[in-house]
Amino acid sequence: MSNICSTVQRRYTDFEVFHDLLIARYPYRLIPRLPPKKIGMTEHFINQRRRALSRFLNIIARHPTIRKDSIVTFFLTSEAPDIHSKMRDKFKNQLDEFVTLWDKGDIERQLNMMSCDVQGMKTELTKMLKSVQIIRDLSEKWVSRTQKTAFDYQLFSNELSVLAGEGQTVSAWSSHQGDAWGKIREGMRNLSVQFSNLSERYGRQKLQEDVSILENISYILDVLQGVKDLADRREKGVNKEHQQAFNRIQQLKKQKGSIAARGQDGGVISVRIEQQESLTNDIQLRNNFSVLCMNMEMKLVYSYLSHFGIIWNGFASTQLNLSQDLLEIWDRTMPITSMMLATQGDTPSTAMGVCYNAAGAAPAAPPSAPPSAPYTGPSFYDM
């Protein structure tokens, strides 16, 4: 398929027909699953499904074999109305990939050049699929926590702004505290700005983690699941058909032996055995082709798995940038909180933190702490 640049609209029903046609045309190739169909959809579900459909199209468009098919070109470029009906009518009688091969003898030649342990590949796939699913679920929780942190910091900012709001009536009691409450309010106004900055920074972090980490892991998961589905299709389809055809030959040979033992003519049964053996050979060749395809699709799996290097490098970079930005913001809060802390000297001895013993005397003050140095360690942020 040459480079295609087109803008078309597709409904979920169109994707369903497209998916079914691809399965029929390429039963032994990686065809990703479609996202689920749901009644009473929320905006979040619609957005998640749109992203999943985009991943589906990208995986198909990057497949070295499938992307060249006319079905793909038709789906991506046709502007005809009622596209799913027209697509079904146009491609419903298509032959599958094995039938249209020019040189079936090349199957055995390629198969002999490689080591193909289908059961081993399926076991390996199952393990990888489980691990990547767990990583994806954890990444999704991570992104959700980042979003929740952004939301919480904005709430902090809003409430600090309310407490420090201009135009509030100052009570007679607070006016006896000197200028302390005024300075505290000024500090809270400034802190509100910094907490809003924290919220904005975590909001940007959420978008970065969502796109560069979670979405890329979802691509790998879609590929692994697609190849796992391929292995299941092969096991339930051509592998089962081959075993049934082989068993049928054995039954016919037993019947021929029984006929010969009775001294009867076994000509008819011999013809049936020849026909069944021809069918079995064809199924065996198809089975070999499915093994060859399975091996090639596993190579695609590893090409996608190699992207983990990019993913984890991006993950580390985003966390490092976040830490540096958070440290800068928290550093800006230190002069503000120091100013607010200094107002404690303007309040009478009944201020919070001083408690009295049973005799009515205040306990001896604890030794004052040394002045704190500017914090230069790792940044603090919610995981």
Side-chain angles (χ1 to χ4, degrees):
M1 180 182 70
S2 58
N3 292 333
I4 292 177
C5 182
S6 65
T7 302
V8 294
Q9 291 186 343
R10 295 290 178 260
R11 300 179 62 84
Y12 186 80
T13 306
D14 303 330
F15 277 92
E16 286 182 310
V17 174
F18 181 50
H19 180 270
D20 292 344
L21 289 171
L22 288 177
I23 291 287
R25 175 77 175 109
Y26 297 100
Y28 314 122
R29 299 290 186 178
L30 158 63
I31 309 293
R33 287 184 180 181
L34 288 177
K37 192 173 184 178
K38 185 178 179 181
I39 299 176
M41 298 178 291
T42 63
E43 183 177 355
H44 174 74
F45 176 85
I46 293 173
N47 289 334
Q48 291 299 106
R49 192 173 75 174
R50 184 182 295 115
R51 291 169 66 170
L53 290 173
S54 178
R55 292 197 302 270
F56 169 83
L57 276 183
N58 277 308
I59 292 171
I60 292 298
R62 293 172 182 173
H63 194 285
T65 300
I66 300 175
R67 68 183 181 183
K68 304 172 186 176
D69 199 285
S70 57
I71 304 175
V72 178
T73 303
F74 186 84
F75 183 80
L76 294 178
T77 60
S78 177
E79 298 181 2
D82 196 20
I83 185 67
H84 63 277
S85 297
K86 289 182 171 56
M87 188 164 47
R88 187 186 291 114
D89 292 341
K90 183 178 179 64
F91 298 104
K92 63 182 178 181
N93 295 322
Q94 65 179 347
L95 301 174
D96 71 34
E97 183 185 12
F98 172 76
V99 176
T100 57
L101 286 177
W102 286 97
D103 184 8
K104 292 184 173 61
D106 192 48
I107 297 174
E108 294 289 346
R109 187 164 56 253
Q110 292 189 53
L111 203 58
N112 292 332
M113 294 172 60
M114 59 182 66
S115 175
C116 298
D117 178 9
V118 176
Q119 190 56 45
M121 284 190 286
K122 187 175 180 180
T123 301
E124 188 177 5
L125 264 175
T126 303
K127 290 180 179 179
M128 289 191 294
L129 182 61
K130 181 179 179 181
S131 294
V132 175
Q133 179 67 65
I134 292 173
I135 291 173
R136 198 240 179 234
D137 291 345
L138 290 173
S139 300
E140 191 170 34
K141 291 178 182 178
W142 188 291
V143 173
S144 296
R145 283 196 297 268
T146 302
Q147 185 176 30
K148 179 66 165 55
T149 301
F151 179 77
D152 288 345
Y153 273 128
Q154 190 57 53
L155 285 182
F156 261 106
S157 175
N158 295 344
E159 297 309 316
L160 285 171
S161 182
V162 170
L163 281 173
E166 296 290 345
Q168 292 185 4
T169 303
V170 179
S171 68
W173 180 86
S174 66
S175 66
H176 294 160
Q177 310 303 307
D179 196 32
W181 177 236
K183 292 180 179 178
I184 292 294
R185 288 174 62 184
E186 180 184 354
M188 286 193 292
R189 279 194 294 271
N190 293 330
L191 280 180
S192 174
V193 174
Q194 299 307 321
F195 273 78
S196 182
N197 290 338
L198 288 168
S199 173
E200 188 274 335
R201 183 60 186 86
Y202 270 102
R204 286 192 285 119
Q205 181 70 12
K206 184 266 178 185
L207 293 177
Q208 291 172 353
E209 292 174 352
D210 203 8
V211 174
S212 64
I213 300 168
L214 184 58
E215 188 66 10
N216 284 330
I217 293 175
S218 296
Y219 265 106
I220 296 176
L221 187 64
D222 290 350
V223 169
L224 286 170
Q225 186 63 66
V227 179
K228 173 65 165 52
D229 292 344
L230 159 60
D232 292 340
R233 280 199 307 273
R234 179 191 169 277
E235 192 171 288
K236 295 176 182 177
V238 65
N239 198 35
K240 184 178 179 180
E241 290 173 0
H242 179 260
Q243 188 60 49
Q244 290 174 339
F246 180 78
N247 292 339
R248 180 59 179 159
I249 289 177
Q250 300 307 310
Q251 293 174 357
L252 290 172
K253 286 183 177 180
K254 286 182 180 180
Q255 292 179 16
K256 182 179 180 181
S258 176
I259 291 173
R262 294 196 300 267
Q264 298 176 350
D265 182 13
V268 175
I269 199 72
S270 295
V271 172
R272 291 177 60 188
I273 290 175
E274 289 179 3
Q275 292 172 342
Q276 188 64 35
E277 285 178 338
S278 176
L279 175 61
T280 303
N281 289 336
D282 188 65
I283 295 176
Q284 175 63 50
L285 194 59
R286 177 180 283 273
N287 183 60
N288 290 342
F289 177 69
S290 72
V291 174
L292 185 64
C293 290
M294 185 78 182
N295 188 278
M296 288 188 279
E297 302 308 282
M298 282 298 293
K299 291 180 180 179
L300 276 180
V301 167
Y302 283 106
S303 71
Y304 275 91
L305 287 174
S306 66
H307 293 167
F308 263 128
I310 300 173
I311 293 172
W312 297 132
N313 180 264
F315 180 75
S317 296
T318 58
Q319 297 305 313
L320 179 60
N321 292 336
L322 175 65
S323 298
Q324 292 171 343
D325 291 346
L326 291 180
L327 180 59
E328 181 180 335
I329 296 173
W330 283 116
D331 278 346
R332 291 201 297 265
T333 68
M334 293 305 295
I336 302 172
T337 56
S338 296
M339 181 272 290
M340 296 172 70
L341 188 61
T343 63
Q344 296 301 306
D346 299 335
T347 58
S349 61
T350 54
M352 182 177 63
V354 179
C355 52
Y356 293 82
N357 58 27
S368 55
S372 58
Y375 179 68
T376 59
S379 172
F380 166 81
Y381 61 95
D382 294 334
M383 295 294 285

